[in-house]
Every structure is written in C-alpha cells, then in structure tokens.
Amino acid sequence: MPLVAASDTSIADAGRVIREGGLVAFPTETVYGLGADATNGEAVAAIFAAKGRPSFNPLIVHVPDLAAAEALGVFSDEARALAVQFWPGPLTLVVKRRAGCPVADLATAGLDTVALRVPDHPVAQQVLRAAEVPLAAPSANRSGHVSPTLARHVDEDLGDRVAMILDGGATVHGVESTVVDASGDGLALLRPGSVTADDIARVLGHPIARGAAVAAAPVSPGQLASHYAPKARLRLDAAAARDGEALLAFGRAAPSTGFVINLSPSGDLAEAAAQLFAALRAFDAAESREVAVMPIPETGLGVAINDRLRRAAAPRP
Ligand code: TXA
Ligand code: MG
C-alpha cells in the first residue's frame, strides 16, 4: 500500500523516492498532485504513463519559493508583483525559461516557457524541500477522471502506479490553480481558479485579458502555434529514410546511416518520451527539411508520443 500519513519520516522518504526518479502523490492547497523530479525526463514520462494521458501537455513545475522560481524562469515586473502578492498560493505563472533552466523538455512540451507555482500547503512545502528538486505535478488522477481532493481518491485511481501517496487530509480549494501567462508582452489568464481576474486586476492596476489555454486535445493544426513544432516535414510510419531524409528511429532494428536520432535503441517508451522534444529540436538545429519517422507502438506512452508526432506532421497554415 503506497498510502502513508504525511510525517517527517515519510516526507524524507518521499524526497529520496523523487530524487531516484519515482512518483510521489502529495497534497497541495488546490488538489493532490502527482509529483516527479521536473529535471528528469524519464521521471516526467512516468507521470504521463501513470495518468494514462493520450498526449503530452506542458506541466506545472512546483518550487518552494520565488527565489527558486526565478532560478528557472525570467520574471517581468508584473509577474513578480503577482508572485509577491499571491505566493505561496493557488496561482501559476507561465514565464520564459531562463538560459540553462534544468527543467526537462517533456515537462514543458518543448516550449521555451515554463509554468511555475509555489504551493501553500505545509506538506507540499516540506516535500519540495526534502526533494531538493523542482517538482512537475499535474493533478493525481487518471486521465479523464476528476481531480482528487483526498488521498483516498488518489489511491483509488493510481494506487498501483505510484511509489507513495502522502496523506495530508482534504485539500482546501478543490479546483486547480489559476494559470496566468506572463511570458509575453501583456499578461493573459489561461485557466481560471480561486485567484480571480479581479484579484489580479487589483494588483496590476488594470484588467487582465483572457487567453487561450494550451490544450492537450483535439488535434488541430491551429493549436500547433502554442506547442513546439519543428520546421522539418515529418513522414510517419516510415520503414527507413529515403534519399535526403533524416531519420527519427525507435528500437534496436533501426538503420543507422545518415543523420539518425534514435529515441530509444532498447525500445523503451519512457526513454523515447523523454527524448522526443530534444530530438525534434535537434532536427531543426541540423536544418533537416524532411524527417522519416519509424513506427512507435500505439500502447502506453506510445499513444502520447504518436499524438505529438501526428500534430508535428500535420499540415501548417
Ligand atoms: O492546482 C494545480 O495547479 C495542480 C496542483 C497539483 O498543483 N496542478 C495542476 O498541474 O493542475 P497541471 O500540470 O495539470 O496544469 C497544467 C496547466 C494546463 O492548463 C497547461 O496548459 C498549463 O498549466 N501550462 C503548463 N505549462 C504551460 C506553458 N508553458 N504555457 C502555457 N500553459 C502551460
Ligand atoms: Mg488535471
């Protein structure tokens, strides 16, 4: 049984589990989060696998305080004003990644921005300090289920898929944090939450615009703008590269002449997920125009990998 009462001992254990790449569910003031080391791509892949998510959307990265957040992202004056007013608390700020930001590409879906949040819950705070790494943590439920406000809900959904569930009682807010995009020129409200547009307007001294959230689904070329999309044209389900094509390979059988990136020579889907966005970027860096993509099995994390590849291969406007 992974369900344990939150205590100094269990939280110290949780910190160790996280540093070793494991998954720990923990309470925040909004909902229970499914946490993993945000700097470890394979640990982040394990979050998607446990949730059974059919696609990779960018995750919120949790840190203990503003100083830790500023080490990962670049804050404008307005972003900092909101952080000072509402952190710790149920507000997430999307900011530009700082150069050298160690957060895994998979956690930010390959974007040059990162969503940061400082939770206001004693257990979440202690877990962050015990782990000593930023934590990627979406709500701790299976994909398509409602967000958990009790440790028991997490256990019902994910009990067989996580190393630990820290029980810290019922969460206070029950809805996920407000998400504000502060990465561009003006601020935009991406997801409403218990920090309201009026609360934010009072701090800024002007109203905040409503922006479009980065949706996980459906597949539409119009949404590519908000996800990282490579310049190269992708040819999916390719047995091998043709003349002039680079190759995105998967598994041992992959041919290895020409420019080849193998997502996982051993055919491990978690490793492939962790490498995916860096691979797409590497084709851009090499100015590849055409990329043949070997088939990825449509099981487990392969479903999300294929979803992302299909989006990346979709015709652009
Ligand atoms: O209350 C919460 O925020 C909970 C608890 C566990 O802290 N966490 C949570 O995390 O809801 P998550 O990862 O499921 O939230 C993802 C939301 C999505 O709406 C996503 O589009 C947005 O954050 N998001 C994350 N990174 C983004 C980015 N770089 N740009 C735009 N939106 C982003
Ligand atoms: Mg959720």
Side-chain angles (χ1 to χ4, degrees):
M1 279 288 284
L3 188 64
V4 290
S7 68
D8 288 351
T9 317
S10 61
I11 289 171
D13 287 346
R16 241 180 333 266
V17 167
I18 289 163
R19 280 195 301 278
E20 287 165 3
L23 300 183
V24 172
F26 61 94
T28 79
E29 77 280 28
T30 57
V31 299
Y32 274 75
L34 178 58
D37 178 356
T39 68
N40 176 341
E42 290 188 40
V44 175
I47 292 178
F48 289 103
K51 285 184 65 98
R53 269 216 183 151
S55 66
F56 297 131
N57 56 326
L59 301 179
I60 294 173
V61 175
H62 298 65
V63 289
D65 51 37
L66 177 57
E70 294 212 46
L72 302 178
V74 180
F75 282 65
S76 64
D77 290 345
E78 288 201 318
R80 196 173 297 110
L82 293 180
V84 166
Q85 180 67 32
F86 298 111
W87 281 355
L91 174 72
T92 294
L93 292 167
V94 176
V95 297
K96 282 262 187 285
R97 288 173 72 121
R98 188 173 285 289
C101 169
V103 170
D105 273 337
L106 189 60
T108 59
L111 298 169
D112 61 359
T113 54
V114 59
L116 297 167
R117 153 157 151 77
V118 175
D120 185 18
H121 191 290
V123 175
Q125 280 286 334
Q126 287 171 57
V127 171
L128 284 166
R129 290 180 198 280
E132 298 175 328
V133 289
L135 287 183
S139 55
N141 51 278
R142 294 252 188 134
S143 179
H145 291 195
V146 295
S147 295
T149 53
L150 289 173
R152 180 168 53 76
H153 299 160
V154 182
D155 195 29
E156 285 161 10
D157 253 25
L158 300 170
D160 56 344
R161 297 171 173 219
V162 299
M164 275 179 98
I165 301 168
L166 291 171
D167 190 348
T171 63
V172 179
H173 296 286
V175 294
E176 292 88 346
S177 60
T178 305
V179 179
V180 168
D181 183 357
S183 65
D185 284 342
L187 302 188
L189 181 65
L190 300 184
R191 180 172 80 180
S194 46
V195 172
T196 66
D198 285 347
D199 295 335
I200 292 167
R202 264 194 296 279
V203 175
L204 298 178
H206 60 80
I208 179 167
R210 189 68 205 265
V214 178
V219 180
S220 102
Q223 292 181 338
L224 287 172
S226 53
H227 277 93
Y228 182 76
K231 292 187 204 74
R233 202 160 50 220
L234 305 190
R235 184 169 64 84
L236 302 184
D237 285 324
R242 296 177 184 149
D243 258 8
E245 282 181 334
L247 180 67
L248 184 61
F250 177 81
R252 255 183 250 291
S256 60
T257 51
F259 184 44
V260 179
I261 298 179
N262 196 325
L263 289 174
S264 172
S266 66
D268 175 353
L269 288 168
E271 182 185 17
Q275 299 307 324
L276 178 64
F277 290 102
L280 296 179
R281 240 181 247 283
F283 287 120
D284 274 354
E287 296 186 356
S288 304
R289 294 251 155 67
E290 316 272 338
V291 178
V293 181
M294 288 177 66
I296 312 268
E298 187 78 5
T299 55
L301 278 179
V303 177
I305 295 172
N306 285 324
D307 166 80
R308 190 60 190 72
L309 287 170
R310 278 191 289 268
R311 287 169 198 253
R316 320 267 159 79

